[in-house]
Amino acid sequence: MSLPPILISPSVLDSDLSRLSEEVGRIESADLVHLDVMDNHFVPNLTFGLPVVQRLLEHTSMRADVHLMIENPDTWATAYAEAGAASVTFHAEASRAPVKLARELRERGARAAVALRPATPVEPYLDLLPELDMILVMTVEPGFGGQSFIDGVLPKIARTRAAIDALGADIWIQVDGGVSRQTIGRAADAGANVFVAGSAVYRADDPAAEIATLRELATASWTR
């Protein structure tokens, strides 16, 4: 089986949101731009919503990796796909009909992904893998950037990778939270291939160089 692509998806959560389009321009060497949509209900933080994402996608050629940390994604998620998001992730804990929603996202041209909080087990969703293009395993509690990576989630990543490999499917595993030079290798070794790095990239003196370093470290752990 061929290895999945190693992708770096910096989160704009740690950027200057008052200059969002310019801040996205600082990470053009990345594979995706990670957009955290928070509603102050599902998580205790508020960022931006559909109108901001729509306008941003009109001003960037980067592929958008939209992460919905919102209540009722069944109602709102498809609009982000229609706006041009390359990937739309909704939380398993919030969706009432995850298979239906995943199918609707695919019908609108987006990769369909489900996110799991650190304490949410992956096993109930393994039978649904053929309906998904990606699983996001949160490595912090969702809601705020700059948190410390939770190593206790690594076995869940490994179990998810084993199930995907057994299925022989092209399904990505994304990790989000505390991803840095110190942690990305462990996440890749466990089986993740898509890495959301916010503060590690945006607080670096040279974001492009940091993206390259993170990609190299993840690739080394995959191909050791």
Side-chain angles (χ1 to χ4, degrees):
M1 180 185 299
S2 60
L3 295 176
I6 297 296
L7 304 176
I8 306 298
S9 182
S11 169
V12 301
L13 194 60
D14 286 283
S15 71
D16 181 353
L17 294 178
S18 70
R19 303 168 56 248
L20 185 54
S21 182
E22 295 174 44
E23 291 288 80
V24 171
R26 297 174 63 204
I27 60 163
E28 289 181 340
S29 63
D31 303 286
L32 301 156
V33 55
H34 191 83
L35 304 176
D36 289 304
V37 176
M38 305 183 193
D39 63 359
N40 200 32
H41 293 284
F42 181 72
V43 293
N45 197 3
L46 182 67
T47 53
F48 45 77
L50 182 61
V52 171
V53 172
Q54 286 174 321
R55 292 304 302 272
L56 176 64
L57 294 185
E58 293 173 2
H59 296 278
T60 180
S61 60
M62 291 197 70
R63 295 184 296 164
D65 170 29
V66 175
H67 178 191
L68 300 178
M69 287 172 269
I70 63 173
E71 291 182 348
N72 201 15
D74 304 82
T75 297
W76 293 103
T78 54
Y80 290 87
E82 291 166 354
S87 176
V88 178
T89 301
F90 58 90
H91 268 263
E93 303 89 356
S95 175
R96 298 184 304 274
V99 172
K100 178 176 180 290
L101 180 53
R103 290 178 177 179
E104 290 173 346
L105 291 171
R106 283 176 162 181
E107 288 171 0
R108 288 161 174 78
R111 294 180 64 88
V114 66
L116 306 173
R117 288 178 180 265
T120 300
V122 69
E123 283 72 19
Y125 301 93
L126 295 182
D127 288 340
L128 306 181
L129 284 175
E131 304 286 349
L132 301 169
D133 299 297
M134 184 172 74
I135 292 185
L136 166 52
V137 179
M138 294 296 300
T139 43
V140 299
E141 288 295 338
F144 293 92
Q147 299 183 63
S148 298
F149 187 92
I150 301 174
D151 281 275
V153 179
L154 292 172
K156 180 163 70 172
I157 297 170
R159 294 194 302 274
T160 305
R161 174 55 59 196
I164 290 171
D165 289 349
L167 190 63
D170 178 22
I171 301 170
W172 300 347
I173 299 177
Q174 184 177 77
V175 290
D176 182 357
V179 174
S180 67
R181 295 187 186 192
Q182 291 70 40
T183 61
I184 195 168
R186 299 200 297 275
D189 184 58
N193 69 290
V194 186
F195 305 91
V196 178
S199 57
V201 170
Y202 273 105
R203 296 179 188 177
D205 292 334
D206 185 340
E210 191 66 21
I211 289 167
T213 296
L214 292 173
R215 186 181 287 114
E216 290 170 4
L217 291 170
T219 300
S221 290
W222 261 109
T223 58
R224 71 196 189 289

